[in-house]
Amino acid sequence: MNKAVILVGGPSRATRFRPLSMHLPQPLFPVGGKPIIWHQIKALSAVKDLREIILIGFFEDYVFRSFLDKCQEEFPEITFKYLREYSQLGTAGGFFHFRDQILRGGPKNIFMLYTDICCSFPLNELLAQHERHGRLGTIMVTKVDRSSARLYGCVVVDNETKLAAHYVEKPETYVSDMASTGVFVFHQDIFRFMAQVMEQRANEFDQQRANESAYGRSVDEADESHDVNRLRLEQDVLRRMAADKKLSAYLCKGFWRQIKSAASAVPANGLYLQKALSENRSFLAEAKQDGPEIVGAVYIHPSAQIHPTARIGPNVSIHARVVIGPGVRVDDSILLDNVHIKDNAAVLHSIVGWDSRIGMWGRVEGSPITSSDDIDEVTHAGVKVNSICILGEDVQVKDEVFIRNSIVLPHKDLASNKHNEIIM
Ligand code: GTP
């Protein structure tokens, strides 16, 4: 039997996802027509012998209740649980803290997935390689551009043996172009290894305190790196596993990118819609003779009303109760619940927040993100500008107003053109 843990973080994280995370916790934000973590859950549901999925985070208990009830209905063969950390314990601290609950029923392998990623999730292939090599854990890696490797946790991999020989978090100089994806699988003995790491760290802290007091100084207890219960998966655990030759690496050949900033939800949306195009065509909107023009992969919620003269797509998600008027053009964008777009307006490379309105001939336009890195800026003629245009909840764009490459916080009325601004 196998289990999985998804790390969902908490309200104080995902700051780069603002203003969207001000309305909805990042894990529940929809990309490809579904909440971000639904994609992790869907992929886990296809793993052989996987019986339980546990979300670990420090959001209030009610936050995931209705989402998990829906998952329980959709995936009845899997049990779902949310476990709440009493404080922010780091990417391995909560996993270790809840070890008794995770080990209940004796799972052989335990997957761990981060929330803030979008991926083709080849989890059965990852598990097969993990079992073949028989090491304590396997990290899924992806090949990134050599020039951007410093943005990631980098793994030096022996191609023959698949041994992860070395792990370095965001290296200053080039180490490897294999980046950690935030997808891991561990043998259940991982908790014994983590217990040793915790003990080792506690000894190191004691030693540090003793050294500091010998010099008449005191350790800054507010510094979270001195919290013995806080454990970082990559820096504290995986680095030691690599040094002890207990870590394998599996190379993901499908798609992967991070969803850290709000802007990165747009390319993630596109990747999941493209995936649906080949795997789940019926989820996507079909062009009909008397309906709007549909270009490429588009998701439209059944309650949305779209004028037949509108042109939608590619890579567009349109959510519940959205109303789109005649002659409207929407491309590479996410329109959230209750958005109204009036006649002849255009929305390109943008996210339009819940309950927002765009007036007649209005235009909301960002620039496409072409790099696979999680950057929220692009360079236009040598000037740095925001890439995707983001309107928070309840933003009113008046008729004929043009909002370009801007981020607009919730509850704003925009009566004049804005270019490359953050409107607070
Ligand atoms: P950055 O690149 O600096 O953002 O770090 P990272 O990608 O190594 O880790 P990050 O802090 O982004 O977190 C990875 C995943 O773990 C995300 O899904 C977070 O929501 C989640 N996470 C981070 N810290 C905690 C924590 O203390 N507790 C829990 N339960 N989840 C966490």
Side-chain angles (χ1 to χ4, degrees):
M1 190 260 277
N2 301 309
K3 287 196 186 187
V5 166
I6 305 176
L7 289 185
V8 291
S12 59
R13 297 203 69 82
T15 49
R16 279 182 277 170
F17 208 71
R18 288 178 193 158
L20 304 172
S21 53
M22 292 159 87
H23 179 95
L24 191 68
Q26 185 194 13
L28 298 180
F29 185 85
V31 290
K34 295 281 186 182
I36 290 176
I37 50 167
W38 179 89
H39 297 279
Q40 274 83 332
I41 290 171
K42 174 76 178 158
L44 286 164
S45 74
V47 170
K48 73 170 173 29
D49 219 10
L50 190 126
R51 303 269 174 80
E52 189 172 58
I53 299 178
I54 301 172
L55 309 190
I56 297 183
F58 46 98
F59 286 100
E60 303 269 351
D61 288 314
Y62 71 86
V63 168
F64 295 103
R65 205 167 286 150
S66 84
F67 169 72
L68 289 183
D69 287 347
K70 281 190 205 137
C71 287
Q72 197 62 76
E73 273 175 35
E74 188 175 355
F75 307 103
E77 65 291 354
I78 296 173
T79 306
F80 292 90
K81 257 188 208 147
Y82 173 62
L83 300 178
R84 186 178 172 192
E85 286 167 29
Y86 55 89
S87 70
Q88 197 171 326
L89 295 175
T91 41
F95 184 71
F96 184 70
H97 177 78
F98 291 115
R99 61 194 175 282
D100 291 345
Q101 303 213 40
I102 297 170
L103 286 174
R104 197 164 294 154
K108 182 175 175 211
N109 299 297
I110 303 144
F111 283 89
M112 191 209 264
L113 275 66
Y114 287 175
T115 292
D116 52 2
I117 52 168
C118 135
C119 184
S120 54
F121 293 119
L123 300 180
N124 276 313
E125 291 86 336
L126 167 67
L127 182 61
Q129 191 201 287
H130 170 71
E131 297 207 303
R132 214 165 36 246
H133 288 276
R135 298 191 182 103
L136 188 57
T138 303
I139 178 172
M140 190 166 89
V141 294
T142 185
K143 202 165 164 38
V144 293
D145 283 350
R146 201 185 152 99
S147 58
S148 57
R150 65 187 163 76
L151 301 172
Y152 303 97
C154 292
V155 188
V156 178
V157 184
D158 180 324
N159 277 337
E160 293 248 312
T161 63
K162 307 297 176 208
L163 184 77
H166 202 44
Y167 178 88
V168 191
E169 181 68 14
K170 301 191 178 122
E172 279 176 23
T173 53
Y174 179 77
V175 173
S176 157
D177 58 0
M178 296 291 164
S180 169
T181 58
V183 178
F184 317 88
V185 61
F186 300 108
H187 185 269
Q188 55 154 274
D189 285 346
I190 186 65
F191 294 110
R192 271 190 223 143
F193 186 85
M194 284 184 161
Q196 289 165 12
V197 173
M198 295 294 265
E199 201 182 311
Q200 229 173 324
R201 267 167 35 102
N203 292 340
E204 282 164 17
F205 288 154
D206 286 347
Q207 187 63 50
Q208 212 179 335
R209 272 200 188 85
N211 291 348
E212 296 288 336
S213 72
Y215 288 105
R217 295 193 297 253
S218 62
V219 167
D220 177 8
E221 300 293 344
D223 179 350
E224 51 190 33
S225 65
H226 290 122
D227 179 352
V228 281
N229 294 315
R230 204 181 150 99
L231 196 63
R232 297 163 308 171
L233 182 70
E234 286 158 324
Q235 296 95 319
D236 298 328
V237 181
L238 298 185
R239 211 168 43 81
R240 285 173 164 92
M241 284 173 71
D244 290 1
K245 301 197 178 345
K246 290 183 189 312
L247 186 65
S248 296
Y250 167 81
L251 177 62
C252 170
K253 295 187 192 81
F255 66 84
W256 177 86
R257 66 172 300 135
Q258 291 181 304
I259 314 179
K260 297 261 185 211
S261 63
S264 61
V266 168
N269 180 60
L271 285 168
Y272 281 135
L273 291 177
Q274 292 300 322
K275 182 170 185 256
L277 209 49
S278 57
E279 292 177 9
N280 188 12
R281 199 72 190 66
S282 63
F283 181 70
L284 299 176
E286 263 180 67
K288 295 197 185 101
Q289 219 166 20
D290 53 352
E293 185 182 348
I294 302 289
V295 185
V298 172
Y299 163 75
I300 300 177
H301 189 275
S303 62
Q305 295 170 39
I306 302 182
H307 195 273
T309 57
R311 184 166 192 259
I312 314 290
N315 299 339
V316 171
S317 284
I318 295 180
H319 288 275
R321 300 174 300 283
V322 166
V323 179
I324 292 185
V328 166
R329 172 87 183 96
V330 187
D331 176 359
D332 190 34
S333 295
I334 302 174
L335 309 184
L336 295 155
D337 297 1
N338 283 323
V339 163
H340 283 211
I341 304 192
K342 297 269 180 67
D343 314 15
N344 302 310
V347 179
L348 312 169
H349 317 295
S350 298
I351 299 175
V352 182
W354 307 265
D355 303 315
S356 292
R357 301 278 178 278
I358 297 171
M360 281 194 252
W361 296 100
R363 194 173 176 91
V364 175
E365 182 172 356
S367 309
I369 295 184
T370 47
S371 157
S372 59
D373 305 327
D374 187 57
I375 45 170
D376 23 20
E377 288 182 325
V378 290
T379 304
H380 261 326
V383 181
K384 277 201 158 183
V385 294
N386 290 311
S387 57
I388 297 299
C389 196
I390 298 168
L391 307 189
E393 181 190 1
D394 178 32
V395 169
Q396 314 293 320
V397 177
K398 301 285 182 239
D399 292 353
E400 295 177 31
V401 166
F402 184 6
I403 309 298
R404 184 145 66 102
N405 294 115
S406 293
I407 295 177
V408 184
L409 269 71
H411 314 296
K412 298 279 176 269
D413 278 4
L414 304 176
S416 60
N417 297 346
K418 306 283 175 198
H419 175 207
N420 199 18
E421 282 187 46
I422 295 179
I423 298 154
M424 313 277 273

